[in-house]
């Protein structure tokens, strides 16, 4: 049994948050001694999903203000504002020169010693804290994104050389970082995302009585953050408009999620007159019920690391149509568990149209999935290898 510390800079809702909860719970399930440290504000709803036997730590006192911003001052009392404004000014002045973290965490160390400390969220503050404020025999950084679709990450360079290993969530992500960081090539490894299979299956059985689904139609579900740059949600209304020519009144598409482009995409759907076949559901606490009720799912992303939505769909035995991105074959077996389309709209339409109109093809893919058991065994072995 290893004594393991898992650190994140925050636990706002999102794919990385779901991933870290699953990661901690799976380690605990396998008998590890796990402590979870959230550097940011507490999120009780997320904490409820963490195994009760896992020790949860939060930062207290002055260092808890490491991420102090203007919005944090708005709701403070005048007395607290007087205390915090000088700190906010100091942060603004020193952050530009990369010195703020040195100042706020000066001489700070956790009292406990750990076998392994993991900086799970990819960002400089999380990396800094694990390297400078934690005593551990081994230290591992995680990376959750494709380097080709990241903005400036030069602030991470100084940290990579000090970690024992840098865990990427897919081979494709690992390969991209190895090409950029040849000097540290051997440090980059793969540890796949982990999933709470039992919870997903249980949640899928909880119906939402407020949503009516017509099972006489082919129901399509997309679960994603509603932003168009990488998730390409804006092509869905365009795909629906074309599909109406071939399969009018035979399908309905539900999009689950929130994000900066939600309103824009809803307006586009209205303009293209696809509101009759396309519903934007917004964020849902339990999207698994919708996946369970679907005929198949669709993910039109330009890029993914190791998509949680793809695996969640496969866990619930729902075939997926996914646009090609680097590493997609690590999650979807084309023609067996789903269909991989080219990035263009025309091919995506053809793949979706096939599953709407050809019930035998849809049934074949579904039957294939029922033969497959998805678990975390491989990901856990990868983790054990990284700390051996």
């Amino acid at each position: 049994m290893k004594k393991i510390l898992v650190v994140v800079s925050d636990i706002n809702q999102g794919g990385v948050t779901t991933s870290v909860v699953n990661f901690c719970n799976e380690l605990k399930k396998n008998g590890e001694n796990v402590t979870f440290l959230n550097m940011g504000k507490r999120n009780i709803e997320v904490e409820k999903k963490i195994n009760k036997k896992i020790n949860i730590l939060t930062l207290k006192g002055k260092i808890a203000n490491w991420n102090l911003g203007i919005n944090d001052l708005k709701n403070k009392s005048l007395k607290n504002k007087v205390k915090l404004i000088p700190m906010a000014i100091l942060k603004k002045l020193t952050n530009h020169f990369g010195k703020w973290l040195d100042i706020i965490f000066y001489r700070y160390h956790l009292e406990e010693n750990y076998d392994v400390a993991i900086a799970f969220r990819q960002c400089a503050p999380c990396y800094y804290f694990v390297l400078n404020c934690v005593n551990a025999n081994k230290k591992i950084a995680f990376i959750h994104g494709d380097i080709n679709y990241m903005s400036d990450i030069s602030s991470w360079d100084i940290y990579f050389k000090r970690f024992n290993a840098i865990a990427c969530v897919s081979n494709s992500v690992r390969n991209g970082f190895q090409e950029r960081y040849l000097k540290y090539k051997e440090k980059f490894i793969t540890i796949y995302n982990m999933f709470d299979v039992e919870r997903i299956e249980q949640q899928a059985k909880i119906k939402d009585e407020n949503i009516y689904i017509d099972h006489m139609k082919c129901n399509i579900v997309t679960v994603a953050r509603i932003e168009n740059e990488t998730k390409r949600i804006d092509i869905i209304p365009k795909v629906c408009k074309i599909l109406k020519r071939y399969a009018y009144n035979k399908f309905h598409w539900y999009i689950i999620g929130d994000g900066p482009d939600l309103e824009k995409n809803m307006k586009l759907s209205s303009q293209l007159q696809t509101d009759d076949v396309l519903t934007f559901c917004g964020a849902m606490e339990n999207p698994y019920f919708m996946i369970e009720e679907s005929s198949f799912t669709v993910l039109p992303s330009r890029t993914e690391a190791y998509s949680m939505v793809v695996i969640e769909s496969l866990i619930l035995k729902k075939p997926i149509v996914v646009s090609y991105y680097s590493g997609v074959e690590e999650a979807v077996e084309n023609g067996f568990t789903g269909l991989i389309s080219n990035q263009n709209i025309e091919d995506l339409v053809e793949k979706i149209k096939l599953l709407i109109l050809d019930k035998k093809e849809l049934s074949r893919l579904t039957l294939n999935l029922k033969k497959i058991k998805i678990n975390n065994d491989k990901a856990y072995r990868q983790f054990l290898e990284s700390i051996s």
Side-chain angles (χ1 to χ4, degrees):
M1 179 175 68
K2 297 288 186 181
K3 194 173 182 181
I4 301 168
L5 174 71
V6 181
V7 179
V8 291
S9 54
D10 65 76
I11 48 174
N12 298 323
Q13 291 290 347
V16 176
T17 295
T18 301
S19 182
V20 74
V21 170
N22 293 343
F23 181 78
C24 290
N25 288 345
E26 186 66 21
L27 295 190
K28 188 63 184 178
K29 179 181 174 183
N30 282 277
E32 308 294 356
N33 181 355
V34 183
T35 296
F36 175 72
L37 170 61
N38 170 29
M39 296 171 62
K41 295 178 181 178
R42 294 190 65 184
N43 185 321
I44 302 301
E45 291 305 310
V46 172
E47 289 182 14
K48 287 179 181 177
K49 298 175 183 178
I50 298 173
N51 188 306
K52 293 180 180 179
K53 295 181 179 179
I54 291 175
N55 184 30
I56 298 178
L57 301 179
T58 55
L59 299 181
K60 297 177 182 179
K62 180 188 73 173
I63 61 170
N65 295 307
W66 69 271
N67 200 26
L68 183 67
I70 296 298
N71 291 332
D72 297 307
L73 296 175
K74 288 181 180 179
N75 299 322
K76 299 289 185 182
S77 66
L78 180 60
K79 181 179 180 180
N80 284 329
K81 282 181 180 178
V82 171
K83 289 181 179 179
L84 293 174
I85 285 176
M87 186 179 291
I89 294 172
L90 179 62
K91 178 188 174 186
K92 188 173 180 64
L93 292 173
T94 59
N95 207 28
H96 180 72
F97 301 100
K99 296 297 182 182
W100 169 244
L101 295 177
D102 288 329
I103 293 171
I104 193 68
F105 291 120
Y106 181 66
R107 288 188 176 180
Y108 178 81
H109 276 87
L110 295 181
E111 293 181 2
E112 294 284 337
N113 293 319
Y114 298 91
D115 295 306
V116 184
I118 297 168
F120 198 87
R121 192 176 282 278
Q122 57 183 39
C123 64
C126 192
Y127 292 162
Y128 179 98
F129 187 90
V130 168
L131 288 172
N132 296 287
C133 304
V134 178
N135 294 316
N137 297 330
K138 283 197 173 182
K139 297 184 178 183
I140 300 174
F142 262 73
I143 293 176
H144 304 269
D146 185 338
I147 195 170
N148 297 307
Y149 290 89
M150 291 181 177
S151 53
D152 183 16
I153 59 170
S154 58
S155 63
W156 300 356
D157 293 5
I158 59 172
Y159 304 119
F160 284 163
K161 64 182 178 181
R162 296 175 58 194
F163 279 104
N164 297 99
I166 305 161
C168 303
V169 296
S170 72
N171 292 330
S172 177
V173 170
R174 180 201 65 202
N175 294 341
F177 273 85
Q178 284 179 327
E179 289 177 11
R180 173 80 67 88
Y181 294 94
L182 292 173
K183 188 176 180 180
Y184 309 119
K185 183 177 180 179
E186 299 306 316
K187 289 190 176 189
F188 290 96
I189 60 173
T190 300
I191 300 178
Y192 287 133
N193 282 325
M194 298 183 187
F195 298 83
D196 190 338
V197 176
E198 184 176 339
R199 178 179 172 275
I200 290 170
E201 292 174 340
Q202 290 174 347
Q203 291 287 101
K205 297 175 184 177
I206 303 174
K207 292 189 176 184
D208 188 335
E209 301 297 339
N210 296 317
I211 298 177
Y212 170 73
I213 296 176
D214 185 355
H215 291 288
M216 298 300 291
K217 295 182 180 180
C218 185
N219 294 294
I220 306 167
V221 167
T222 292
V223 182
R225 174 171 163 77
I226 312 302
E227 61 88 12
N228 298 333
E229 180 62 27
T230 58
K231 300 299 183 181
R232 298 205 310 160
I233 303 300
D234 56 327
I235 73 168
I236 293 178
K238 300 171 187 176
V239 169
C240 285
K241 186 172 182 63
I242 298 172
L243 284 173
K244 284 177 67 173
R245 302 176 198 163
Y246 305 99
Y248 182 72
N249 212 33
K250 292 184 178 180
F251 77 97
H252 197 96
W253 198 322
Y254 300 88
I255 300 177
I256 301 166
D258 200 355
D261 293 322
L262 176 59
E263 187 175 337
K264 179 180 179 181
N265 292 336
M266 291 176 69
K267 287 181 179 178
L268 177 61
S269 177
S270 180
Q271 292 169 1
L272 295 177
Q273 298 181 334
T274 58
D275 288 346
D276 56 333
V277 296
L278 179 60
T279 299
F280 288 86
C281 300
M284 295 179 68
E285 181 66 25
N286 176 23
Y288 306 120
F289 159 69
M290 292 296 291
I291 296 175
E292 176 71 18
E293 295 293 305
S294 72
S295 306
F296 61 93
T297 61
V298 175
L299 188 66
S301 299
R302 180 172 285 107
T303 179
E304 294 284 342
Y306 190 72
S307 173
M308 303 199 68
V309 171
V310 169
I311 304 301
E312 288 165 350
S313 180
L314 303 185
I315 287 171
L316 295 175
K317 312 305 179 187
K318 299 297 176 179
I320 187 164
V321 178
V322 57
S323 295
Y324 178 83
Y325 56 83
S326 179
V328 66
E329 299 94 341
E330 294 180 63
V332 179
E333 188 175 346
N334 190 30
F336 189 78
T337 59
L339 301 177
I340 300 174
S341 83
N342 295 328
Q343 281 283 332
N344 62 72
I345 289 179
E346 292 76 17
D347 194 40
L348 186 59
V349 167
E350 288 302 311
K351 298 294 192 299
I352 295 172
K353 183 174 71 172
L354 173 64
L355 296 191
I356 294 174
L357 300 179
D358 190 338
K359 292 183 179 179
K360 288 184 178 179
E361 178 65 7
L362 178 58
S363 178
R364 184 184 68 82
L365 294 175
T366 304
L367 287 172
N368 288 342
L369 282 166
K370 289 180 178 180
K371 301 174 186 176
I372 298 172
K373 183 176 178 60
I374 296 176
N375 55 45
N376 297 312
D377 291 354
K378 184 172 183 177
Y380 183 61
R381 287 198 304 271
Q382 290 171 327
F383 171 72
L384 291 180
E385 290 170 3
S386 75
I387 63 174
S388 61

